[in-house]
Amino acid sequence: QVQLVESGGGSVQAGGSLKLSCVASGYIATVNAMAWFRQAPGKEREAVAVIHTGGGATCYADSAKVRFTISRDKGRGTISVDLQMNNLTPEDTAIYYCAAAEMEVRTVTAGCSSWLNRAEYAYWGQGTQVTVSS
């Protein structure tokens, strides 16, 4: 099993920044991608950004391009993934979830749109609230 623990959510005014962090532990040997998703009230959970834990390749949803940056670091028995969010707007208000995947080769080679597919992720954190006020 893989455990994911998020931190860093909070409240900020429009135009501000927040950094979310996620630490994966447990049986992470086969995890090759980690991502951030978000779910706003009344909406479906959507992908924000993905990073491959090996080579570091990244992929962003259109809403996150330019403003958000995903990064990763590997420790002894853990993988840490951060999401730096800048120039936040009220539309970014949501619960943000960290997720981990054991992507098959065909998914990896399929490219960004496949990496953003929620169905690829088997492991999820509990979520952290981000609230952006106008």
Side-chain angles (χ1 to χ4, degrees), residues 108-128:
V108 175
T109 56
C112 186
S113 60
S114 294
W115 303 357
L116 295 173
N117 185 351
R118 177 183 170 181
E120 295 294 332
Y121 295 83
Y123 306 102
W124 294 85
Q126 293 299 307
T128 185

Side-chain angles (χ1 to χ4, degrees), residues 67-123:
R67 299 185 301 130
F68 294 2
T69 302
I70 190 169
S71 60
R72 59 90 173 88
D73 191 20
K74 290 186 176 181
R76 187 172 183 177
T78 62
I79 304 172
S80 300
V81 174
D82 292 339
L83 184 69
Q84 177 66 46
M85 305 185 294
N86 298 323
N87 195 20
L88 286 161
T89 73
E91 289 68 36
D92 295 315
T93 295
I95 298 174
Y96 284 69
Y97 296 91
C98 179
E102 301 161 326
M103 285 187 182
E104 296 182 1
V105 172
R106 62 180 178 181
T107 301
V108 175
T109 56
C112 186
S113 60
S114 294
W115 303 357
L116 295 173
N117 185 351
R118 177 183 170 181
E120 295 294 332
Y121 295 83
Y123 306 102

Side-chain angles (χ1 to χ4, degrees), residues 123-134:
Y123 306 102
W124 294 85
Q126 293 299 307
T128 185
Q129 177 71 47
V130 171
T131 303
V132 184
S133 58
S134 57

Side-chain angles (χ1 to χ4, degrees), residues 4 22 25 32 37 74 90:
L4 301 173
C22 174
S25 61
N32 57 7
F37 286 73
K74 290 186 176 181

